Amino acid sequence: MPKTQPTEFGEQKKKMTNIRFEVPSWNQIYKMLISQAEAIRHSGFQPDIIVGISRGGWIPARVLSDLLENPTLASVQVNTHSGASQAESLPTITQKTSIPVTKKKVLIADDVADSGKSLKVVKEYVLHQGAAVAKIATLYHKPWSAVKPEFYEKETSKWIVFPWDRKETVRRIVKEKKETQARKEIEKLASAGFPKPLVEKFLRETSGEQTC
């Protein structure tokens, strides 16, 4: 049974000093996706459709589409509406799959299985829509996720900062913490591999300063 824990942005944002960051580069992500595509092929699973979960799954889904030589690519969107606590968050489908999945073998792609709630909802939705089979592929898997993907490249408990959400990460840290603590976390982020020029640029923009 997976451990029942809130998501990284839930529990760990309350304890920012305990967060460890992982900042994969574009090249590292691509190598992970090459490895994942090989694992999918070797498993014998040949999806008819690849469905990327908005927004984190879009890029992995597109790359897997290329590597698996499968041009049939769709998207689905899930929003999480938080209640009084993170544990009460209820993911809902807000954008249905852009093409029918009935009687199709579906590969659901996302960047990380964190709480696993959204992945669970999407998989149930796809099967309810008549998919013959639905399997999940993520780059990362958190040990407390409610869902264990059929395909994933790495398990970690770190806060993963993907190339496509770097500015969002800086914004969230600045928003959640006072200036002194935020600066400490930003320094940790840079030490983990976040390019320093981008750190400074995003800090200036988040602070409302005009940059070139």
Side-chain angles (χ1 to χ4, degrees):
M1 293 289 290
K3 298 177 182 177
T4 302
Q5 295 188 24
T7 65
E8 191 104 15
F9 281 121
E11 176 66 16
Q12 290 198 355
K13 76 178 182 180
K14 300 174 184 176
K15 302 178 180 179
M16 276 287 193
T17 55
N18 296 326
I19 287 183
R20 294 175 299 151
F21 295 103
E22 181 158 345
V23 188
S25 68
W26 285 106
N27 283 341
Q28 288 171 323
I29 293 294
Y30 193 72
K31 288 178 181 178
M32 291 172 76
L33 287 167
I34 289 175
S35 174
Q36 184 160 85
E38 291 175 351
I40 293 169
R41 280 197 298 269
H42 291 162
S43 76
F45 182 59
Q46 297 180 319
D48 300 307
I49 300 173
I50 299 173
V51 175
I53 298 180
S54 171
R55 295 175 297 164
W58 281 348
I59 293 173
R62 176 60 183 89
V63 176
L64 286 173
S65 171
D66 177 44
L67 297 174
L68 293 173
E69 300 180 33
N70 184 338
T72 309
L73 190 61
S75 65
V76 65
Q77 186 173 57
V78 183
N79 280 354
T80 300
H81 305 285
S82 298
S85 69
Q86 189 72 18
E88 296 175 3
S89 298
L90 302 173
T92 56
I93 302 291
T94 54
Q95 182 185 78
K96 298 179 180 180
T97 50
S98 51
I99 56 178
V101 298
T102 307
K103 297 182 180 180
K104 303 295 184 180
K105 291 179 289 184
V106 179
L107 180 66
I108 300 166
D110 207 353
D111 49 12
V112 58
D114 195 328
S115 73
K117 293 178 182 179
S118 294
L119 286 166
K120 185 174 185 292
V121 166
V122 171
K123 187 170 184 177
E124 290 174 349
Y125 162 75
V126 166
L127 291 172
H128 184 71
Q129 292 299 307
V133 181
K135 295 189 177 185
I136 296 170
T138 63
L139 292 165
Y140 289 86
H141 170 254
K142 299 292 183 73
W144 53 78
S145 174
V147 170
K148 187 170 184 177
E150 284 80 6
F151 308 99
Y152 66 93
E153 289 300 299
K154 186 174 181 181
E155 181 171 283
T156 184
S157 59
K158 294 180 181 179
W159 180 342
I160 308 156
V161 184
F162 292 100
W164 46 86
D165 61 16
R166 289 174 174 175
K167 185 174 182 179
E168 178 180 338
T169 299
V170 172
R171 188 186 305 116
R172 295 191 79 147
I173 291 173
V174 171
K175 181 179 178 181
E176 293 293 337
K177 287 294 175 180
K178 294 181 180 179
E179 184 176 352
T180 302
Q181 187 60 47
R183 173 57 68 172
K184 290 180 180 179
E185 296 306 320
I186 293 297
E187 289 173 357
K188 285 170 57 179
L189 191 59
S191 297
F194 198 123
K196 290 184 179 180
L198 282 182
V199 170
E200 296 303 325
K201 172 180 171 62
F202 295 155
L203 279 174
R204 288 194 300 270
E205 292 179 353
T206 300
S207 300
E209 297 179 12
Q210 296 296 319
T211 58
C212 297

